[in-house]
Amino acid sequence: MDKTIVIPGSKSETVRAIIISSLFGGKIINPSNSEDAIAACNVAKSLGAEIVWNDCLNIIPGEKTNINLNIYSSATAFRIGLLSLLSTIGEANITISEQLAGRDMGKLYEFLQENNIYFKKNNNPLYCRGTLDKNEYSIFDDNSSHLLSGILIS
């Protein structure tokens, strides 16, 4: 499905575009070169994608086999990447920064519990095991857009 998308260089849109492109292929013009974008590229590589970053970002999907991932401080890449790995590989082993470990991830952890995903939330790296294979999920108003995006992508 190789598509080309031009984005305004926002971190959030870049992260989402990278992870979606890792599943289907694509070319991203004007991506952010932030730490969040690098974390999203790590997610894409864990999903098996090949990344070529020149004047634009070319992403070629591949075989999904790597559960080990370093997210750094990107909450967007963490939430979306974790759910993407669980839906494609069925497990994830994610290293996060101390800064990210201190952020409130309550809604994500509630979602994982409600969907019978095994995890240890106070470990770093965070290990999760289980699959997201339902056709319907309930999302409430107080959930983050990261969680919603992760569920939709998965």
Side-chain angles (χ1 to χ4, degrees):
M1 175 158 94
D2 287 328
K3 301 285 182 182
T4 298
I5 184 168
V6 179
I7 58 176
S10 100
K11 287 189 318 182
S12 182
E13 290 172 357
T14 296
V15 168
R16 287 168 172 82
I18 290 170
I19 295 173
I20 291 168
S21 294
S22 72
L23 300 172
F24 303 105
K27 180 178 182 177
I28 304 167
I29 298 173
N30 197 35
S32 164
N33 64 355
S34 65
E35 185 178 290
D36 288 40
I38 293 166
C41 285
N42 288 342
V43 171
K45 289 175 186 174
S46 288
L47 293 168
E50 178 184 339
I51 310 261
V52 179
W53 198 327
N54 295 322
D55 57 333
C56 62
L57 194 55
N58 288 294
I59 302 176
I60 302 141
E63 189 64 31
K64 300 158 182 70
T65 58
N66 187 6
I67 67 164
N68 296 306
L69 178 58
N70 190 336
I71 292 292
Y72 308 107
S73 296
S74 176
T76 305
F78 174 64
R79 291 180 180 113
I80 296 173
L82 173 60
L83 297 180
S84 296
L85 286 169
L86 290 173
S87 68
T88 58
I89 299 173
E91 61 183 325
N93 197 41
I94 300 178
T95 302
I96 59 177
S97 70
E98 286 183 32
Q99 176 190 2
L100 185 57
R103 291 186 57 180
D104 179 19
M105 297 289 172
K107 296 299 178 190
L108 173 63
Y109 296 141
E110 285 176 25
F111 177 80
L112 295 175
Q113 284 179 320
E114 290 168 3
N115 289 282
N116 300 313
I117 303 294
Y118 166 83
F119 68 97
K120 287 187 176 179
K121 70 178 178 180
N122 293 323
N123 281 10
N124 196 8
L126 170 70
Y127 178 76
C128 297
R129 183 180 63 248
T131 57
L132 296 174
D133 54 8
K134 292 198 276 184
N135 290 325
E136 184 176 321
Y137 295 95
S138 296
I139 302 297
F140 302 99
D141 292 339
D142 58 349
N143 281 300
S144 77
S145 65
H146 303 144
L147 180 58
L148 176 60
S149 294
I151 293 166
L152 291 171
I153 290 169
S154 70

